[in-house]
Amino acid sequence: MLFVCEECSVESLQWSGQCAHCGAWNSLAEIRKTGKAQRNSVEVARRSVQRLNEISRTHLTRLPTGITELDRVLGGGLVPGSVILLGGDPGIGKSTLALQWVATQVDQIRVLYVTGEESLQQLALRGERLGVDSLPVSTMAENHLESILDQIPDYDFLVIDSIQSLYSENVSSSPGSITQVRESAERLTRCAKENDCSVLIIGHVTKEGTLAGPKILEHMVDTVLYFEGDDASRFRLVRSFKNRFGSVNEVGVFAMTDKGLREITNPSAMFLSGSERDNSGSVVLVTQEGTRPLLVEVQALLDPSSLANPRRLCVGLDAQRLVMLLAVLHRHGGVSLGGHDIFVNVAGGIRVMDSGADVAAAAAVLSSLFNKNFPADTVCFGEVGLAGEIRPVQRGEERLKEAAKLGFKRALVPKGNKISRKIPGLEIIPLLRVEDLVAWLE
Ligand code: TYD
Ligand code: MG
């Protein structure tokens, strides 16, 4: 018998009213481990001792999903027996993508779509909307984990929509709790590997993070994909955070239409607002997401503050980095920002992970502070160091080429990004320190 804390997921052999690890009250739930499963895993471990040089290596076979943008984030396609977690906010499009995915593969492999959230009628209606309702996709409305596990030997690809809706007989707590989610994912993963069946696990991320989120599952699965995008925009990004069979931080770009998700294979300009007028506080950044450059608009608004601690709000960029950047601007750039509320936003609901966004965020803040337009035909990128230096970033030349292709005329780039060849139509303005940026904008 084993008890697991619902708050911190620490295990203990005895029940107690308070978790000894995190101090939460009444949070321990019981998990019944079946003896058979434990014996099995020991046997498997014994059997599988082999020397590295003697292991027969078969090359990974991948099954392209038929959706180019999805193949891009998966690293070429679905690997048989792999377990993929697809996380995201409710309503962002996880079920839609999953159904489109299985629909493209139904003629090659045996797929089963298990829904624990919707009725089969609802699923069929969605299929109708997506134009896949005439395909023989096997579906099942089921929450009971053990019944789903029984089906695994008959299929090559299983979709679980969603992990929070499953419950196992072995666990006493309710569906969606940490213990249930963990137990379900663990047994699904094990059963899938034994049967060489791939599994796509859908998981909701709640804004409050209170419900057992997919976070605890990340280490159990082979690949973690997250959906990004905001409600106001129809664009959706699928980003790989972990991938045992491919590179991470690759993004796939989609648009939600009335017929489901449509892929956007050339998205570099789609996050630009397209407004011709120059706006103060608005700067175009060339960022690099995975292997391809994307142009995004970084906006800043500075407003004199009446608060003792002025507000710093940041959407789409790392908030900690912004605070650091403001300190560098103050210390090395000689601009005083302490009396302003500062808001920074990346347009289009995309989250930029690239440290090359520093220069754009700094330029947007300065442009709003000086109330001067940042020229609309100019792009920038670069990382800002704590000493005020502007550091080079990866793939500088590719970023510039993309900007030139989209008709931009000038680029502010770190001096360290030695651009060997001239890019026709693009004037390069090298930056060494933040002081250069301040001087250029003043
Ligand atoms: P859904 O895939 O159900 O989200 P999730 O599974 O992540 O909760 O997508 C829900 C939203 O997508 C819903 O607001 C309706 C919209 N949608 C479309 O715009 N077009 C479509 O063809 C479909 C199927 C959904
Ligand atoms: Mg759904």
Side-chain angles (χ1 to χ4, degrees):
M1 207 173 278
L2 188 68
F3 297 91
V4 176
C5 173
E6 295 280 353
E7 299 291 330
C8 65
S9 74
V10 159
E11 297 174 357
S12 65
L13 292 172
Q14 259 183 342
W15 191 87
S16 69
Q18 188 181 22
C19 171
H21 182 254
C22 70
W25 288 97
N26 206 14
S27 64
L28 262 56
E30 181 191 336
I31 293 186
R32 257 168 275 145
K33 286 273 177 207
T34 50
K36 189 163 161 270
Q38 281 169 353
R39 225 180 10 255
N40 272 351
S41 59
V42 172
E43 274 166 22
V44 169
R46 279 217 192 102
R47 239 190 289 136
S48 58
V49 173
Q50 278 185 49
R51 296 219 171 85
L52 190 60
N53 56 358
E54 289 166 1
I55 302 170
S56 66
R57 273 150 288 187
T58 46
H59 279 290
L60 279 184
T61 48
R62 289 175 191 272
L63 193 65
T65 63
I67 304 172
T68 322
E69 289 298 289
L70 197 57
D71 286 339
R72 173 191 284 279
V73 280
L74 289 173
L78 180 68
V79 175
S82 66
V83 181
I84 300 159
L85 173 67
L86 176 64
D89 296 337
I92 199 160
K94 301 180 295 295
S95 308
T96 307
L97 182 66
L99 191 55
Q100 284 182 272
W101 182 350
V102 296
T104 63
Q105 302 206 302
V106 69
D107 51 352
Q108 302 163 57
I109 49 176
R110 299 166 297 169
V111 295
L112 174 64
Y113 191 113
V114 179
T115 174
E117 301 197 331
E118 296 167 305
S119 66
L120 291 181
Q121 282 83 353
Q122 280 172 311
L123 193 63
L125 281 175
R126 186 198 300 273
E128 199 176 299
R129 214 167 151 184
L130 301 175
V132 301
D133 52 326
S134 57
L135 298 174
V137 177
S138 304
T139 57
M140 183 181 180
E142 185 58 79
N143 301 92
H144 185 231
L145 176 71
E146 283 75 13
S147 310
I148 298 170
L149 293 178
D150 287 343
Q151 301 289 334
I152 285 189
D154 297 334
Y155 292 94
D156 303 311
F157 187 29
L158 178 73
V159 176
I160 300 292
D161 187 4
S162 66
I163 189 78
Q164 274 100 352
S165 66
L166 298 192
Y167 76 92
S168 157
E169 289 166 1
N170 289 356
V171 181
S172 56
S173 55
S174 57
S177 61
I178 285 199
T179 34
Q180 282 287 6
V181 167
R182 210 176 69 149
E183 171 80 2
S184 306
E186 226 168 57
R187 290 184 50 205
L188 274 170
T189 307
R190 198 180 330 132
C191 189
K193 300 265 172 205
E194 283 166 7
N195 291 286
D196 227 9
C197 172
S198 312
V199 183
L200 174 67
I201 297 177
I202 294 179
H204 297 294
V205 189
T206 52
K207 293 229 160 58
E208 306 80 36
T210 45
L211 203 83
K215 285 275 170 216
I216 52 161
L217 306 179
E218 284 179 1
H219 68 276
M220 292 183 203
V221 300
D222 299 308
T223 303
V224 178
L225 306 180
Y226 273 109
F227 245 116
E228 288 174 22
D230 61 16
D231 302 338
S233 135
R234 64 195 182 94
F235 295 119
R236 303 280 183 266
L237 264 73
V238 178
R239 195 188 290 268
S240 67
F241 273 81
K242 164 181 172 179
N243 196 350
R244 290 197 178 131
F245 309 111
S247 61
V248 290
N249 266 338
E250 198 62 85
V251 291
V253 186
F254 297 90
M256 181 62 94
T257 68
D258 54 353
K259 291 198 172 56
L261 289 160
R262 191 169 52 81
E263 41 184 332
I264 299 182
T265 37
N266 189 10
S268 57
M270 68 177 215
F271 290 102
L272 298 180
S273 64
S275 68
E276 288 297 315
R277 240 190 9 206
D278 305 24
N279 293 320
S280 78
S282 187
V283 171
V284 177
L285 156 76
V286 195
T287 175
Q288 187 81 28
E289 295 296 327
T291 50
R292 68 185 169 191
L294 270 185
L295 280 85
V296 294
E297 211 168 306
V298 179
Q299 300 177 314
L301 176 71
L302 272 66
D303 194 31
S305 179
S306 53
L307 300 170
N309 282 320
R311 303 186 68 183
R312 269 91 180 91
L313 205 80
C314 189
V315 179
L317 292 173
D318 185 351
Q320 308 275 8
R321 264 198 106 80
L322 176 70
V323 176
M324 208 171 77
L325 198 60
L326 297 176
V328 174
L329 281 177
H330 180 228
R331 179 70 203 277
H332 297 285
V335 290
S336 167
L337 301 160
H340 289 89
D341 289 330
I342 299 178
F343 307 96
V344 177
N345 178 40
V346 179
I350 174 176
R351 255 191 321 145
V352 177
M353 307 283 213
D354 172 19
S355 59
D358 290 353
V359 164
V365 166
L366 293 170
S367 157
S368 179
L369 177 73
F370 302 147
N371 201 17
K372 270 200 180 156
N373 294 345
F374 189 88
D377 61 356
T378 306
V379 295
C380 61
F381 58 83
E383 183 181 334
V384 174
L386 283 185
E389 81 279 19
I390 292 184
R391 296 159 165 258
V393 295
Q394 284 185 336
R395 299 180 187 248
E397 208 160 305
E398 274 171 52
R399 298 183 196 225
L400 291 175
K401 276 189 194 147
E402 195 64 33
K405 206 165 87 187
L406 291 167
F408 286 88
K409 299 277 179 273
R410 239 173 306 160
L412 295 167
V413 305
K415 194 159 188 206
N417 269 103
K418 294 192 183 68
I419 310 298
S420 47
R421 268 173 297 148
K422 231 178 111 28
I423 294 162
L426 198 68
E427 181 195 351
I428 307 285
I429 301 162
L431 301 171
L432 196 58
R433 301 189 47 80
V434 283
E435 292 91 310
D436 302 342
L437 185 65
V438 176
W440 192 81
L441 275 159
E442 241 170 356

